[in-house]
Amino acid sequence: MAAVARLLVALLVVFLVCAKATSYPGPSDDHHDLARYSRIFGFGNSFTDTGNADIFPPTAGGIDTRPPYGETFFGHPSGRASDGRLLIDFLVEELKVPQPLPYLAGKTAADFVLGVNFALSGATALEPESLRSMGLMSFVPFSLVNETKWFEHVVQLLNNSSAPEQRKITATSFFFVGEMGINDYYASLLSNRTVDQTKSLVPHVVGVIRSAITVLTAPLLSELYLGGVRRMGV
């Protein structure tokens, strides 16, 4: 898992450097490009969550609060649905930025200024109400829409700072949107829906993700990475 995560991060970093090289012709210092990031804002599900599920009342005290979760790196459960680190952890290490604070662990602008992780294990792309209207039940009453609302709350808190400080925060932030939608598809498949029936969710999931990106790009963010859904089945 760690080797795969490191490879993915390396590919992502190469992509960022190449994107900068093609966007700004002329000599470029790769380390300078990466060093300009001061924080990460993360979104997603259990592949990105680093602690929100342990605080969120409907999921607090879940299995990832007990061993063997966290044992191979942290030595104890770390709020991650893993025995080690997640892709966002390796990205934090590579970009040399602070570990983003789980949103539910903070309250003030000072808590969030160094980065925030809005991801929550079990989150779906579609809102629970939308899934229920399709005859499906979400695993957790939480969706990407809720994460973007959390983000908007943080933006409001940070907007109390001066305009130059706001621009500085935006210009030096990296937005990591981990895969979303897999829990929607699982909700369908585990309800004995066929693959073709499950495929009908795709346009709805894509629409929600597109809307979320619109919200995230409104404050003129610096960089955004959007992850795809991992392969399901064999």
Side-chain angles (χ1 to χ4, degrees):
M1 175 64 183
V4 173
R6 288 186 182 279
L7 175 60
L8 290 174
V9 169
L11 292 173
L12 175 56
V13 169
V14 169
F15 169 78
L16 290 173
V17 171
C18 290
K20 289 299 176 186
T22 56
S23 299
Y24 303 98
S28 174
D29 184 333
D30 294 352
H31 295 291
H32 175 73
D33 285 337
L34 297 179
R36 71 189 187 87
Y37 300 115
S38 298
R39 69 193 58 76
I40 288 180
F41 291 118
F43 303 80
N45 51 34
S46 59
F47 289 93
T48 306
D49 185 6
T50 56
N52 283 313
D54 289 353
I55 305 173
F56 190 53
T59 55
I63 60 172
D64 64 348
T65 62
R66 301 185 292 274
Y69 287 89
E71 68 177 7
T72 64
F73 183 80
F74 300 97
H76 56 80
S78 63
R80 295 158 176 77
S82 169
D83 62 353
R85 290 183 287 177
L86 305 176
L87 181 57
I88 192 171
D89 294 309
F90 290 95
L91 187 58
V92 163
E93 180 180 75
E94 185 67 28
L95 297 182
K96 296 179 174 58
V97 296
Q99 183 69 237
L101 183 75
Y103 172 80
L104 292 177
K107 294 182 179 179
T108 68
D111 296 326
F112 300 132
V113 73
L114 294 180
V116 190
N117 192 341
F118 302 97
L120 192 141
S121 296
T124 53
L126 299 175
E127 293 186 86
E129 295 79 5
S130 297
L131 289 171
R132 280 198 294 271
S133 71
M134 302 175 186
L136 302 174
M137 292 295 295
S138 58
F139 304 112
V140 176
F142 195 84
S143 70
L144 182 58
V145 174
N146 298 108
E147 293 182 24
T148 56
K149 289 179 179 178
W150 280 357
F151 168 71
E152 290 176 316
H153 175 241
V154 168
V155 169
Q156 290 177 349
L157 288 177
L158 297 179
N159 277 347
N160 289 327
S161 57
S162 65
E165 183 64 22
Q166 293 172 31
R167 287 193 292 271
K168 180 180 179 182
I169 290 174
T170 300
T172 57
S173 298
F174 185 90
F175 284 64
F176 180 87
V177 183
E179 66 161 47
M180 287 299 294
I182 193 167
N183 289 323
D184 304 71
Y185 305 139
Y186 275 141
S188 176
L189 294 171
L190 293 177
S191 296
N192 293 321
R193 301 289 177 88
T194 66
V195 171
D196 286 337
Q197 289 174 319
T198 299
K199 285 181 179 179
S200 68
L201 292 176
V202 173
H204 301 286
V205 169
V206 171
V208 169
I209 294 174
R210 182 184 293 115
S211 296
I213 291 175
T214 299
V215 172
L216 300 182
T217 55
L220 300 177
L221 59 83
S222 174
E223 301 285 351
L224 183 146
Y225 165 83
L226 177 63
V229 174
R230 67 181 178 86
R231 182 177 179 180
M232 302 171 67
V234 295

